């Protein structure tokens, strides 16, 4: 999906017998995100939707469908490398820097607008976080509030509450560094599904294979494989085999078995024991991943905001 000004472009390939009201689905999604201000070009009740969705290519389909594939079972929907990451430095088994809260949806601060970015710099010694050094917040806001008031909100209200025990009066803050952020979102900037893949995952603490998750069904291992690697990395940490773990898997399109699987514990555990645990307990074939993580259920909408990992209610976070 691509969004710019008052236009939304839907493009892709899917084979389905379902009758979908694309306009209704798109408008509701925009409304849920919070773009409802009728004075802006991009808002839920004023967008023009252009649809370019076709059937899946036959040559891809024959590799994915079990009765057509050369391997005799459901093959990977694409080739590529996927990563999953986990660390015990937070209860969610996520990097400390990625865990930030959002105040806009509560309505407590009505001047907050949907567009925004946050960034936290954490100082580590080895694999252990020591302190938060810098916090960057760029948030869209109503024209009725000035930058100084937003800065006070970040430093006096948001940071102490969100950072908790990591709050330190010595933290450096950078709040709306351009000076003003009244106009944002697709009204002023082009947005395309899958551009913020690092924010969607581990905030740069863990590696990423480059394939976006959103906009893809689970036959695409860019999505299902990455979720499964996260699931396994969590189990490695939960089993006490390492304090930090990364699982890497590589697929060939149309093939069920992965080409390679790698486990890294970053010196926080025995990599051989962790690798043996993975091989003995987890099946990386796409059909098994889909079944084990229940990826045919309508759960993906939960991942469209605030990342795909470290959140309750998602099967790969169990």
């Amino acid at each position: 999906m691509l969004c710019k000004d008052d236009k939304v472009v839907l493009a892709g390939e899917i084979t389905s017998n379902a009758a979908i009201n694309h306009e209704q689905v798109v408008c509701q999604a925009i409304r849920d995100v919070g773009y409802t201000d009728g004075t802006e070009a991009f808002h839920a009740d004023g967008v023009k939707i252009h649809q370019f969705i076709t059937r899946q290519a036959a040559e891809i389909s024959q590799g994915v469908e079990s009765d057509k594939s050369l391997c005799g079972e459901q093959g990977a929907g694409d080739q590529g490398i996927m990563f999953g990451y986990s660390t015990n430095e937070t209860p969610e088994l996520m990097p400390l820097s990625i865990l930030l809260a959002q105040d806009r949806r509560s309505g407590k601060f009505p001047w907050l607008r949907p567009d925004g970015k946050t960034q936290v710099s954490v100082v580590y010694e080895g694999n252990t976080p020591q302190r938060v050094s810098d916090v960057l917040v760029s948030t869209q806001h109503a024209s009725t509030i000035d930058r100084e008031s937003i800065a006070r909100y970040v430093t006096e209200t948001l940071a102490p509450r969100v950072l908790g025990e990591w709050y330190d009066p010595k933290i450096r803050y950078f709040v709306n560094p351009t000076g003003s952020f009244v106009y944002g979102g697709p009204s002023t900037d082009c947005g395309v599904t899958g551009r913020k893949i690092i924010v969607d995952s581990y905030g740069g603490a863990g590696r990423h294979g480059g394939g976006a998750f959103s906009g893809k069904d689970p036959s695409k291992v860019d999505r299902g494989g990455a979720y499964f690697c996260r699931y396994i990395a969590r189990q490695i940490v939960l089993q006490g085999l390492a304090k930090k773990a990364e699982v890497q898997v590589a697929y060939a399109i149309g093939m069920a078995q992965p080409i390679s699987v790698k486990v890294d514990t970053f010196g926080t555990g025995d990599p051989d024991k962790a690798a043996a645990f993975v091989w003995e307990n987890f099946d990386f074939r796409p059909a098994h991943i889909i079944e084990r993580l229940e990826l045919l259920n309508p759960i993906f909408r939960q991942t469209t905001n605030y990342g795909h990992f470290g959140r309750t209610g998602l099967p790969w976070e169990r």
Side-chain angles (χ1 to χ4, degrees), residues 198-234:
I198 300 304
V199 175
D200 271 346
S201 54
Y202 310 104
R207 286 178 284 190
H208 198 296
F213 311 142
S214 297
K216 297 175 181 176
D217 71 81
S219 72
K220 298 295 186 182
V221 284
D222 281 335
R223 185 168 210 160
Y227 290 167
F228 198 51
C229 286
R230 162 66 177 173
Y231 176 73
I232 297 171
R234 277 178 48 86

Side-chain angles (χ1 to χ4, degrees), residues 101-131:
Q102 300 280 339
D103 268 355
R104 181 186 63 81
R105 295 181 69 86
S106 71
K108 187 176 180 180
F109 300 92
W111 48 266
L112 284 169
R113 294 294 183 263
D115 201 354
K117 299 178 183 179
T118 56
Q119 183 173 299
V120 175
S121 298
V122 179
V123 177
Y124 283 75
E125 287 186 7
N127 290 307
T128 306
Q130 298 296 314
R131 62 184 177 87

Side-chain angles (χ1 to χ4, degrees), residues 1-2 5-6 8 23 29 41 52 55 66 77 105 117 128-129 158 163 184 189 210-211 220 227 246 305-306 313:
M1 185 169 73
L2 180 150
D5 293 330
D6 62 346
V8 175
E23 182 172 342
F52 304 97
R55 295 175 65 86
S66 58
R105 295 181 69 86
K117 299 178 183 179
T128 306
L158 180 67
L163 296 177
D189 194 10
K220 298 295 186 182
Y227 290 167
E246 180 183 80
N305 296 320
Y306 314 122

Side-chain angles (χ1 to χ4, degrees), residues 149-167:
S149 298
I150 299 172
R152 284 197 300 272
Y153 153 74
V154 171
T155 59
E156 299 175 9
T157 302
L158 180 67
R161 176 173 55 80
V162 171
L163 296 177
E165 63 180 291
W166 294 97
Y167 175 74

Side-chain angles (χ1 to χ4, degrees), residues 52-318:
F52 304 97
I53 297 178
T54 62
R55 295 175 65 86
Q56 185 180 57
E59 291 174 314
I60 296 177
S61 178
Q62 74 182 16
V64 173
E65 296 181 21
S66 58
D67 59 341
K68 297 179 181 178
S69 69
L70 296 178
C71 67
E73 56 184 313
Q74 179 173 346
D78 205 348
Q79 68 185 51
I81 303 172
M82 296 86 221
F83 293 89
Y85 180 82
S86 183
T87 173
N88 70 349
E89 63 192 53
T90 64
E92 296 82 358
L93 303 185
M94 288 288 286
L96 177 63
S97 57
I98 199 70
L99 292 181
L100 290 175
Q102 300 280 339
D103 268 355
R104 181 186 63 81
R105 295 181 69 86
S106 71
K108 187 176 180 180
F109 300 92
W111 48 266
L112 284 169
R113 294 294 183 263
D115 201 354
K117 299 178 183 179
T118 56
Q119 183 173 299
V120 175
S121 298
V122 179
V123 177
Y124 283 75
E125 287 186 7
N127 290 307
T128 306
Q130 298 296 314
R131 62 184 177 87
V132 174
S133 61
D134 300 272
V135 172
L136 167 62
V137 176
S138 294
T139 181
Q140 186 186 8
H141 57 87
S143 60
T144 54
I145 191 168
D146 56 49
R147 180 171 175 265
E148 289 70 26
S149 298
I150 299 172
R152 284 197 300 272
Y153 153 74
V154 171
T155 59
E156 299 175 9
T157 302
L158 180 67
R161 176 173 55 80
V162 171
L163 296 177
E165 63 180 291
W166 294 97
Y167 175 74
D168 185 338
K170 297 179 182 179
I171 293 173
R172 295 189 302 175
Y173 294 93
F174 304 89
V175 180
N176 284 11
T178 65
S180 179
F181 191 179
V182 173
Y183 303 101
S187 294
T188 59
D189 194 10
C190 180
V192 182
T193 298
R195 287 177 65 181
K196 301 299 183 183
I197 56 176
I198 300 304
V199 175
D200 271 346
S201 54
Y202 310 104
R207 286 178 284 190
H208 198 296
F213 311 142
S214 297
K216 297 175 181 176
D217 71 81
S219 72
K220 298 295 186 182
V221 284
D222 281 335
R223 185 168 210 160
Y227 290 167
F228 198 51
C229 286
R230 162 66 177 173
Y231 176 73
I232 297 171
R234 277 178 48 86
Q235 307 314 310
I236 292 172
V237 173
L238 290 171
Q239 293 291 327
L241 296 171
K243 296 180 180 179
K244 181 186 295 187
E246 180 183 80
V247 178
Q248 176 195 113
V249 63
Y251 288 94
I253 187 169
M255 301 301 296
Q257 292 288 356
I259 292 175
S260 69
V261 176
K262 178 185 176 184
V263 178
D264 192 345
T265 57
F266 304 96
T268 68
D270 187 326
D272 293 332
K273 287 184 178 179
F277 168 74
V278 172
W279 276 113
E280 292 167 4
N281 292 281
F282 301 100
D283 186 341
F284 283 84
R285 290 175 296 171
H288 177 79
I289 293 174
I290 291 171
E291 180 180 3
R292 186 159 186 170
L293 298 185
E294 304 168 3
L295 298 183
L296 293 182
N297 291 339
I299 57 175
F300 293 145
R301 189 165 186 173
Q302 302 172 55
T303 66
T304 55
N305 296 320
Y306 314 122
H308 292 243
F309 305 119
R311 301 169 54 198
T312 58
L314 296 171
W316 50 91
E317 296 296 318
R318 287 198 289 249

